[in-house]
């Protein structure tokens, strides 16, 4: 068999994959976070100079998250 007939199928599949990815990204961006209580965390670059900015680093507001332990 020649590779000629398979090339349009491959290009079509890749184009379909790109369209599906773009649509799912757009829908996800429009809907926003789906996890309860999920918020954008403030990073050091987001803070304005003089904000104080003390506090813990790395946790990012995840102190309320705890495992249910399968109970």
């Amino acid at each position: 068999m020649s590779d000629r007939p398979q090339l349009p199928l491959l290009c079509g599949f890749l184009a379909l994959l790109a369209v599906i990815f773009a649509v799912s990204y757009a829908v996800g961006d429009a809907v926003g976070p789906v996890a309860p209580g999920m918020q954008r965390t403030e990073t050091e670059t987001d803070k304005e100079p003089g904000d104080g900015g003390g506090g813990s680093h790395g946790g990012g507001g995840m102190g309320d998250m705890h495992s249910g332990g399968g109970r």
Side-chain angles (χ1 to χ4, degrees):
M1 284 190 177
S2 70
D3 289 330
R4 201 68 151 145
Q6 294 175 356
L7 187 60
L9 289 175
L10 179 63
C11 289
F13 175 73
L14 292 176
L16 180 64
L17 203 62
V19 167
I20 290 173
F21 176 76
V23 169
S24 67
Y25 184 83
V27 169
D29 191 39
V31 171
V34 294
M38 185 179 238
Q39 307 174 15
R40 181 171 178 250
T41 59
E42 192 173 307
T43 62
E44 290 296 321
T45 56
D46 292 339
K47 295 179 184 176
E48 294 182 17
D51 269 354
S56 65
H57 295 282
M62 297 180 60
D64 292 342
M65 296 181 70
H66 41 83
S67 174
R71 295 179 205 174

